[in-house]
Amino acid sequence: NAGVTQTPKFQVLKTGQSMTLQCAQDMNHEYMSWYRQDPGMGLRLIHYSVGAGITDQGEVPNGYNVSRSTTEDFPLRLLSAAPSQTSVYFCASSSQGYIEQFFGPGTRLTVL
Amino acid sequence: KQEVTQIPAALSVPEGENLVLNCSFTDSAIYNLQWFRQDPGKGLTSLLLIQSSQREQTSGRLNASLDKSSGRSTLYIAASQPGDSATYLCGMHMEYGNKLVFGAGTILRVKS
């Protein structure tokens, strides 16, 4: 199993550009989440999904969109990038809620 | 709102020392608590998961304890090694909503 994979590993955007961060898992997990990690602030939840077709907002959802058309994939869309979205983004998955989560390697995003 | 504090923020110890990392939280309505390790530029690796009904979990040289009534969890590392150098994060599933709330982490350096 590859586990949780994320692409790209690094990305530089200009303010106002849009892009999609990709996340995929091959463990048949129902639950998937997106977090951002900023220095000194730990990880914060952006959006999460409890199954295909079901998504919900986390703590910091503004400026991000998600959809879940398949069990395997959970892409995160930045509609109009802002410098405040410069961060490291992590995707995670688990087979059920409230149990051990598995994290991807992260995407380091810089918005100029 | 759950507030999670990890003390110390950074720790430097000589090889072979036993050490304790602390995680305190303000809201005891947690479902479980998970300790993670993060190497520089990498994703999170799960170390131990403690369910709210448990007091502690052990894996090799690691022992994690949980005291919901006092709002504290500790991660004990025995006989530390240079390979233990990393950032250690505690994250907890809250009973309300499917999300992990993280502390900012403790940066550990074990000197040889």
Side-chain angles (χ1 to χ4, degrees):
Chain A
N1 285 352
V4 180
T5 58
Q6 293 183 239
T7 56
K9 291 186 178 180
F10 302 94
Q11 184 70 49
V12 179
L13 293 177
K14 295 181 179 179
T15 296
Q17 288 185 315
S18 62
M19 79 159 295
T20 299
L21 308 184
Q22 301 291 344
C23 174
Q25 51 88 12
D26 61 358
M27 298 173 282
N28 202 32
H29 285 173
E30 290 293 327
Y31 289 74
M32 297 186 73
S33 306
W34 276 102
Y35 295 85
R36 59 177 288 173
Q37 184 177 34
D38 301 297
M41 297 187 69
L43 281 79
R44 292 179 292 168
L45 182 67
I46 304 171
H47 285 286
Y48 67 95
S49 170
V50 299
I54 306 170
T55 63
D56 205 348
Q57 296 181 350
E59 182 183 357
V60 288
N62 292 342
Y64 307 95
N65 271 4
V66 293
S67 61
R68 184 100 178 268
S69 57
T70 67
T71 299
E72 295 78 19
D73 301 298
F74 191 41
L76 178 71
R77 298 182 188 85
L78 281 69
L79 306 175
S80 178
S84 61
Q85 294 178 305
T86 293
S87 188
V88 182
Y89 291 84
F90 290 100
C91 180
S93 75
S94 61
S95 58
Q96 302 172 33
Y98 307 111
I99 67 170
E100 185 177 15
Q101 290 199 5
F102 298 88
F103 282 76
T107 294
R108 186 174 295 273
L109 176 67
T110 301
V111 183
L112 304 175
Chain B
K1 179 184 175 184
Q2 178 72 282
E3 301 287 343
V4 183
T5 303
Q6 290 192 245
I7 295 173
L11 181 63
S12 182
V13 300
E15 181 178 5
E17 271 204 8
N18 302 325
L19 56 98
V20 175
L21 307 181
N22 296 291
C23 172
S24 62
F25 48 93
T26 55
D27 187 345
S28 63
I30 67 172
Y31 197 85
N32 63 38
L33 187 145
Q34 198 169 352
W35 280 94
F36 296 88
R37 168 189 174 131
Q38 185 178 28
D39 293 291
K42 303 292 185 182
L44 279 66
T45 300
S46 179
L47 298 173
L48 290 164
L49 181 141
I50 310 175
Q51 295 183 356
S52 61
S53 59
Q54 298 175 316
R55 284 282 187 166
E56 63 180 80
Q57 280 285 344
T58 298
S59 176
R61 294 183 294 108
L62 305 179
N63 176 275
S65 67
L66 173 62
D67 185 344
K68 287 180 60 177
S69 61
S70 66
R72 290 189 61 187
S73 176
T74 61
L75 179 65
Y76 175 84
I77 302 177
S80 59
Q81 303 170 358
D84 294 330
S85 298
T87 297
Y88 291 80
L89 296 143
C90 64
M92 54 204 69
H93 276 292
M94 304 307 299
E95 290 181 352
Y96 45 88
N98 180 51
K99 68 178 209 176
L100 268 174
V101 180
F102 283 89
T106 293
I107 302 171
L108 173 65
R109 180 186 172 209
V110 181
K111 298 172 290 186
S112 57

